[in-house]
Amino acid sequence: MCGIIGYIGDKEANDILIKGLEQLEYRGYDSAGIAIIDNNQIRINKVLGRVQNLKQRKLIGNIGIGHTRWATHGKPSDRNAHPFLDQRNNFVVVHNGIIENYLELKEKLRKEGITFTSDTDSEVIVHLISQNYHGNLKEAVLKTVKELIGSYAFCVIKNDWQELVAARNGSPLVVGLGKDENFLASDVSALVEHTRDVIYVNDFEIVKIKKDQVKIYDFEGNKKDYNIRTIDWDLEQAQKDGYKHFMLKEIFEQPKVVEESIKIKFGLKKEYSRIIIVACGTASYAGLVGKYLIERIARIPVINETASEFRYKDPIINKNDLIIAISQSGETADTLAAIKLAKEKGAKTFGLINVIDSTIAREVDDVVYTRAGPEIGVASTKAFISQLVTLYKLAFYLANKDTESDDQLKRLKPIIIEALSLNESIKKIAEQYYTHSNFLYIGRNLSFPLALEGALKLKEISYIHAEAYPAGELKHGPIALVSEETPTVAICPQDQVYDKTRNNIEEIKARLGKVISIATIGDERIKEISDNIIYIPKVEEIFYPLVITIPLQLLAYHIADLRECDIDKPRNLAKSVTVE
Ligand code: M6R
């Protein structure tokens, strides 16, 4: 999703802004731009495509803002790239989020003689600020936010004004504090190179930043206190360490992540009659594994809800329900809205979140951090495994079996390392299949959410069409897709449904489908019905999802790499989805 960076200080803003935008690239974007004040003139450099392209020009000045855009309104183009100027070139704005009433505002502004230079919803903000300005920039922003409906974090600078002014309602914003310089960003990763001291801006707050002063106000203009937080991860954690892609590095970090996530402790009461898990994408598939685990281990009924559906379906939420949000970024708009709804209805909310102090982490009643560390690749890998470990821990905790389970979980780290040693053999399988256009993924029981996750990984980064089904559903329709051209990844560990899944594989073979089986080491019988086998280490049945995760990620990775895809920044995708 879009990224924002802002700088005010004594240094040249150009390189600081561009570097900041490079740190935000992982969020996904299609165009980028910066604006810098140079002798009371606003200069703009904005381009379609990569941040890298901004380096062809150098702007001069010590106050500036920058943006990476992920198109929502108006196609990706130079014209629709941020920042946006008002008609007199006095104000310039960058914006994340969606202004829902922009058409109405555009119409009104047009009647007042404003000509728009883009097709975006964002441009209305700068024209409104310009109209509302009567000598004080913060006051102009205060008036403007009253006219806006939607979600936003925006930042404005004025040609002859030594201040950045920003407002937040629904999209992340963080201030970075330096010595005689201050920063603003949508994400701490853009700030860590300069400072560890940050202030998280809350919804309905306006922040006024000078090089030596930060003031925060509510939307009524009242001054507010703020807390300075110290962030504890550094830039090195966000580098590739010699791996070709962040995704591969993050896959190989998983043994460490498992070790870290095992340390999580819960303080939650155990009095809930029902649990509802809300999440999106990969986090929702972790949630589905969580459902199987909590129901099996703790015998508490669990409902899984896709957050974007949950928020609009008038869900039944009881006061003694526990609503669990799972999110890597902690900024996913739909998951956040689902949590807000649950709180309104009086339920207890609990977050399994990776990014510390993110919006959802601050919104929920209680939070545990999943401890994956910064995840840069758009395709979630290590965050997924950390969510799984956290859900195992939660299930055992709710069943009062934490102590014995910790011993079991601790034995998993060397097994994950063993699974990673499959890398080269999986690459060879990828070489055989990377030209195919369609894949099926099947699994039963605990392996079904893994099939969903495996298919999502493949489609996200390789752009291959992949469908996942519970293996037992095959005959109810999808078996019609089986042919020599459509390989199936069959997840078939030696668990209680092994024979059932095996039967489904037989059905595929009978129809000449190619099968890549993920099976337990030592399973000789699977050879008769598989074209390729990825043998995973043997573990206690309930822990197979943790082990199966690895070959699914590696298979998707190598197929995408062979297709020369932009693995860390797949087309159309954003790392944190801050608009609905
Ligand atoms: O930050 P979140 O965990 O809330 O994000 C949820 C999904 O957007 C995310 O998992 C998405 O599906 C990933 N690209 C999957 O790799």
Side-chain angles (χ1 to χ4, degrees), residues 470-489:
E473 271 290 297
L474 264 191
K475 320 187 201 17
H476 302 285
I479 201 160
L481 298 174
V482 169
S483 73
E484 274 184 279
E485 283 74 47
T486 302
T488 299
V489 177

Side-chain angles (χ1 to χ4, degrees), residues 280-283 326-330 332 378-380 387 456-457 460 577:
C280 300
T282 286
I326 307 178
S327 176
Q328 187 288 127
S329 62
T332 302
V378 164
S380 190
Q387 289 158 352
L456 178 65
K457 281 294 87 83
E460 273 188 305
V577 183

